């Protein structure tokens, strides 16, 4: 089929009639499918069920240094968990704090602490007239929700397959000392699945921010979440690179096992420089006596070491790779050559990013919803939920069954075609 | 033996020589004993080991409404956990949010949220020149650490066996709209083991604070932590009483299973009014997608219901009751009638409060430390760590073995005697 824009109005109208007939059939199927959130599916959760056997009443719940994990204490986490998560994050265990089950909570708390008490002796953000964050777009809605909640002004920075526009990032942070942070998902980014290039990471590590309390919020949520054995994306480790660049305190790095074991019951972690760690611990000691050490121990006993974890990730890949490929196959087949959308083909992570014709995203999502398929809200990938082009839609293929996913992807492409045609006909 | 103060100087000196000889013998024993923190002992932790068998790989990890506890979601906690904790807290499940493993973290976050965003539309505390809290004394050092960390001025309010001095509380909160909160451990209080009288609770529920965002921080940490089947202390449920009094939004109530199952891996909760809950959830949704539901399910499956939990608490009591009684017996025997100290005899909770002669607490704790027995730091039970009388010492009998505890209590009484005599001789 030729590009829609090259069709005559008559051809467009004829095509639209056919598409609407197909859409009606979908509506009659009474679907309730969900491609909205980056949630593991049941089969993925099942592969971690062995973790439920890692501890039982016959097992000693002491960790290697003799600490009884059942009791109070150990603010930064048990050593063997720091070793495991350190290997996962490619950081020294001494640079790591293990938290509870949610890395989002760690990020929130990190912003909140900067807001209430400032970073390394700098003025608390609550005492400043203006605080700004850079937000690579499209990006992760829950990041934006945190900064919005704290009244932090968000400045969009365009993403490319290499990462954020570093010319813009460098210029803005050098000029404006009210810019205090940037949200990054550097590997298999949310939603595009892009991984920052070597040059991008090096330029991040060499930033010269005007604000001494500027920090990179490096949410490496998908660090080992590859879809393929080969090829895999590679990301330069940012803490080491910052240290080499003479910028050791520039980064807070976050990760969790939410999409490795159980989102509802994983462990989250923060890695950063000794200076930042000391700063954080002077706060954290007032907030808690320690996070859940038994669950830390459970994770360590289950995986044993990082090799156990990487082998485990292959099982995840085997389950979700066909889902990504099915969506891509359907998008290629149904939308290829029509000139009404572009989409990414990630080698890892949890999302595919779809860019519709400008002005179409909201209508597409709404049309899909009316036929029973829930997508992430249009605009969600932009600060304040406002995509100026009304173009980007995040596709989350992991949660539905393969069969449901195919149905949902078919319907989605149908909605893209209908909305695009209506748009073209109205021009 | 007659009161030390009634002895002649010669008698005092002779006694001191004997006591110092005994102290030397203790020093030669090379002790390392700890009566400093309210930590359960190993035997207490062992009685919850069955919880480690409550879930395994053969068990369905869905909760009653079908939600898969392994996955994301359920911000306020799973329903059956709210029922169990609701019964424990004597609150409606609908008034409860289940959190992670630390009620201290919940209290910190509650103060932090008021600081960053205000309570129910009132000015965020960070935008105010002055914020004050009332602090019943002696009290819990970690409470005071939170308010101190946020720069909140702490005003001590004397405790009696009935609870805080309510004349003073009523007067201060009515007069001063910069007073935004009060820390309470209303049952088996830390450290005295006092439970607030019916009249005290009723007066709390009927407070007329000048500040609309004044809240009672009601840390019911020891709600079901009785030492005896009979007699037990009874506490009027504060949320219901506030509702009856037309003050439904006055209280944030906190509790956890830290000293029921595992301090390192329990579940914490907050109970409050619908208005406050809505206010909290508008923040919490930005902080996390949900706390550890698998651990919530584990607790529910282990206890089944509140009866299972109360039976469980009897096992704790059987382990720690002899420890409390041993300390009291030694205090009675060694210090009774000497007029150099007073102590409480709680019927629950985790502490005994000891009041030495004014000016003696620091020296007593230091002297015990030099012979290998760690007590809670003198002053810790007061805001800013400053006990104006230098008199109060918190005794935590639960963690050491009974044998060690007896040794530690003997040494402690010896230190009390020596320091008191030296004080009397110096007068």
């Amino acid at each position: 089929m030729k590009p829609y824009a090259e069709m005559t109005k008559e051809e467009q109208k004829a095509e639209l009639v056919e598409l609407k007939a197909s859409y009606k059939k979908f509506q009659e199927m009474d679907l309730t499918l969900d491609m909205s959130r980056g949630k593991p599916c049941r089969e993925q959760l099942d592969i971690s069920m062995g973790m439920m056997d890692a501890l039982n009443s016959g097992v000693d719940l002491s960790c290697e240094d003799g600490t009884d994990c059942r009791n109070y204490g150990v603010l930064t986490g048990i050593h063997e968990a720091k070793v495991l998560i350190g290997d996962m994050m490619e950081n020294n265990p001494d640079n790591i704090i293990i938290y509870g089950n949610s890395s989002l909570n760690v990020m929130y708390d990190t912003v909140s602490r900067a807001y209430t008490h400032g970073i390394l002796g700098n003025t608390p953000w609550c005492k400043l007239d203006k605080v700004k964050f850079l937000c690579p777009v499209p990006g992760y809605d829950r990041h934006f929700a945190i900064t919005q909640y704290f009244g932090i002004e968000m400045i969009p920075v365009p993403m490319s397959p290499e990462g954020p526009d570093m010319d813009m990032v460098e210029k803005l942070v050098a000029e404006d000392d009210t810019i205090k942070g940037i949200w990054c998902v550097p590997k298999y980014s949310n939603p595009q699945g892009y991984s920052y290039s070597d040059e991008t990471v090096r330029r991040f590590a060499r930033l010269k921010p005007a604000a001494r309390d500027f920090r990179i919020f490096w949410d490496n949520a998908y660090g080992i979440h590859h879809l393929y054995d080969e090829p895999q994306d590679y990301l330069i480790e940012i803490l080491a690179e910052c240290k080499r660049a003479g910028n050791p305190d520039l980064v807070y790095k976050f990760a969790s096992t939410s999409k490795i074991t159980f989102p509802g019951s994983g462990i989250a972690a923060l890695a950063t420089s000794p200076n930042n760690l000391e700063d954080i611990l002077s706060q954290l000691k007032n907030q808690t006596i320690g996070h859940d050490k038994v669950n830390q121990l459970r994770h360590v006993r289950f995986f044993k070491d990082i090799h156990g974890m990487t082998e485990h990730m292959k099982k995840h890949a085997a389950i979700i790779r066909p889902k990504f490929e099915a969506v891509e196959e359907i998008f290629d087949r149904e939308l290829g050559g029509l000139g009404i959308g572009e989409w990414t083909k990630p080698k890892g992570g949890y999302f595919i990013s779809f860019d519709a014709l400008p002005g179409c995203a909201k209508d597409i999502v709404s049309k899909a919803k009316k036929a029973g398929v829930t997508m992430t809200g249009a605009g969600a990938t932009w600060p304040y939920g406002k995509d100026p082009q009304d173009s980007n839609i995040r596709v989350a293929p992991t949660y539905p069954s393969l069969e449901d996913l195919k149905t949902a992807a078919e319907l989605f492409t149908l909605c893209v075609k209908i909305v695009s045609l209506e748009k073209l006909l109205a021009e």
Side-chain angles (χ1 to χ4, degrees), chain A residues 181-406:
Chain A
I182 181 168
W183 288 118
C184 295
V185 183
K187 194 163 175 182
Y188 302 131
S189 68
N190 178 349
Q192 292 165 307
Y194 293 155
S195 297
Y196 294 8
S197 70
D198 292 357
E199 193 198 335
T200 298
V201 178
R202 292 206 176 97
R203 288 173 75 176
F204 263 115
R206 282 157 189 81
L207 282 181
K208 294 186 172 53
R212 281 186 305 169
D213 52 350
F214 173 88
R215 291 292 180 277
I216 302 165
F217 287 67
W218 196 257
D219 181 8
N220 201 13
Y222 309 107
I224 59 171
H225 300 59
H226 310 286
L227 288 173
Y228 300 92
D229 278 344
E230 287 293 332
Q232 293 184 349
D233 287 355
Y234 173 78
L235 180 74
I236 293 183
E237 202 295 303
I238 185 77
L239 280 189
E241 192 62 23
C242 285
K243 201 171 168 186
R244 273 192 287 272
N247 260 339
D249 301 329
L250 196 61
V251 175
Y252 297 129
K253 182 175 167 184
F254 308 94
S256 81
T257 67
S258 289
K259 290 182 179 95
I260 298 173
T261 56
F262 298 148
S265 189
I267 54 178
L270 177 150
T272 191
S273 69
N275 281 339
N276 286 336
L277 280 179
E278 189 185 344
D279 193 37
I280 292 166
L281 291 175
S282 71
Q283 175 263 325
L284 193 62
K285 69 179 183 185
N286 298 303
Q287 189 175 20
T288 185
I289 306 172
H291 295 97
D292 186 339
K293 296 187 295 300
V294 173
N295 204 31
Q296 294 172 27
L297 190 69
R298 184 178 288 117
H299 277 74
V300 172
R301 296 273 171 92
F302 178 56
F303 287 118
K304 302 203 167 54
D305 56 28
I306 185 62
H307 180 66
M309 199 181 266
T310 52
E311 289 300 308
H312 188 75
M313 293 313 291
K314 291 180 187 173
K315 299 181 191 168
H316 281 292
I319 296 167
I320 65 176
R321 186 174 51 239
K323 298 186 178 183
F324 277 80
E325 290 176 347
V327 170
E328 287 160 14
E329 190 271 324
I330 290 166
F331 283 11
D332 281 340
R333 165 161 47 83
E334 296 298 323
L335 302 175
L338 297 186
I340 56 172
E342 294 183 347
W343 55 95
T344 58
K345 297 190 174 180
K347 298 198 286 290
Y350 263 64
F351 303 102
I352 291 167
S353 181
F354 185 88
D355 283 317
L357 294 182
C360 289
K362 276 205 172 77
D363 288 347
I364 291 168
V365 170
S366 161
K367 199 156 201 75
K369 181 80 189 170
K370 279 177 194 156
V373 172
T374 305
M375 310 292 302
T376 310
T381 56
W382 279 71
Y384 311 105
K386 287 179 190 160
D387 174 359
Q389 294 281 319
D390 184 25
S391 163
N392 187 250
I393 299 170
R394 186 178 78 167
V395 179
T398 58
Y399 188 67
S401 70
L402 186 56
E403 192 186 358
D404 283 351
L405 181 72
K406 286 178 180 170

Side-chain angles (χ1 to χ4, degrees), chain A residues 148-168:
Chain A
Q148 182 168 2
Y149 181 68
F150 281 94
I152 294 170
E153 184 183 324
M154 295 181 278
I155 303 169
V157 174
M159 281 286 293
S160 83
E162 307 290 305
D165 179 338
M166 290 310 293
D167 291 341
M168 185 173 172

Side-chain angles (χ1 to χ4, degrees), chain A residues 126-141:
Chain A
C126 69
K127 305 293 184 195
L128 301 174
D129 291 331
K130 176 64 82 180
V131 175
K132 300 175 192 161
F133 257 56
L134 303 183
C135 299
V137 284
Y140 178 34
D141 54 353

Side-chain angles (χ1 to χ4, degrees), chain A residues 95-135:
Chain A
N95 287 93
I96 286 175
I97 301 173
I98 310 278
Y99 285 79
N101 75 319
S102 161
S103 63
L104 189 74
N105 201 328
V106 186
M107 291 181 250
Y108 177 99
D109 282 9
T110 304
V111 171
S112 184
R113 181 177 51 248
Y115 189 84
T116 61
H117 288 79
I119 292 173
L120 278 176
N122 290 285
T123 307
W125 296 351
C126 69
K127 305 293 184 195
L128 301 174
D129 291 331
K130 176 64 82 180
V131 175
K132 300 175 192 161
F133 257 56
L134 303 183
C135 299

